[in-house]
Amino acid sequence: MKHSYYSLPLRLGRVIKKKELARCSLEDSISDHIHLMITSHFNENKHDEKFGNSIWENEFGNISENHAIREEINRSVLRCINRYEPRLEQVRVNIRWLQEETGGGGIKQLSKRLDITITGTITVNRKPFSHEEQCYIAPLSYK
């Protein structure tokens, strides 16, 4: 069966060369779209200022694990998926907030990592769907 969905990111240079764009499965297309939603902030899309989520409002803030912030991010991601991904239903979002030390060369960074799990049901075939994503926010550098 030939895949019906285009893979992201689109390689438009291939169109100019009159070549086929890469295609993917329904599940991969939904995952690509969710990744795009998670990595977009509000007002980034000039045609729809509501596309995106509130993760990036806290990107460089001096924030610690806060239940209220985590719940707001959870609601924001869920609203975005429910609004912009009609191929999924019964969507659930689970966010784990972790602190991780990264870096090298004598410079350490203390980063907040969000582990985001999205589950739901694909509307056309009733199959279960799951997508996992990690986002690093609020870097703090030190020696």
Side-chain angles (χ1 to χ4, degrees):
M1 175 182 147
K2 188 171 182 177
H3 295 301
S4 302
Y5 302 92
Y6 291 113
S7 295
L8 293 179
L10 295 174
R11 306 288 184 206
L12 297 179
R14 293 186 61 79
V15 174
I16 293 169
K17 295 176 184 175
K18 299 184 190 269
K19 293 183 178 180
E20 284 284 319
L21 289 173
R23 296 190 180 254
C24 64
S25 68
L26 171 62
E27 291 83 359
D28 288 341
S29 176
I30 293 170
S31 287
D32 286 349
H33 193 213
I34 289 172
H35 174 77
L36 183 62
M37 286 185 261
I38 288 173
T39 58
S40 297
H41 57 81
F42 294 126
N43 296 316
E44 185 175 3
N45 182 325
K46 294 179 183 180
H47 301 290
D48 189 346
E49 63 191 31
K50 294 179 182 175
F51 186 85
N53 65 81
S54 65
I55 291 172
W56 309 109
E57 292 175 10
N58 298 302
E59 183 177 8
F60 294 108
N62 187 12
I63 57 177
S64 59
E65 160 75 81
N66 181 312
H67 181 73
I69 293 172
R70 187 177 67 219
E71 287 303 311
E72 169 50 33
I73 292 170
N74 193 313
R75 283 190 302 272
S76 180
V77 170
L78 182 60
R79 273 192 307 268
C80 189
I81 293 170
N82 282 335
R83 181 178 183 137
Y84 295 102
E85 187 45 86
R87 300 174 291 180
L88 280 183
E89 58 187 25
Q90 300 171 342
V91 177
R92 290 169 303 285
V93 175
N94 182 38
I95 295 177
R96 289 184 54 224
W97 192 298
L98 303 145
Q99 186 167 293
E100 187 173 299
E101 188 174 277
T102 60
I107 297 176
K108 304 268 185 199
Q109 282 189 328
L110 192 59
S111 299
K112 305 291 183 195
R113 188 179 89 202
L114 300 180
D115 287 351
I116 304 169
T117 303
I118 291 108
T119 58
T121 303
I122 299 174
T123 56
V124 296
N125 59 19
R126 310 301 304 154
K127 287 185 178 179
F129 174 83
S130 182
H131 175 79
E132 293 182 10
E133 190 92 25
Q134 290 181 339
C135 297
Y136 287 89
I137 61 172
L140 171 65
S141 297
Y142 62 94
K143 277 192 168 198

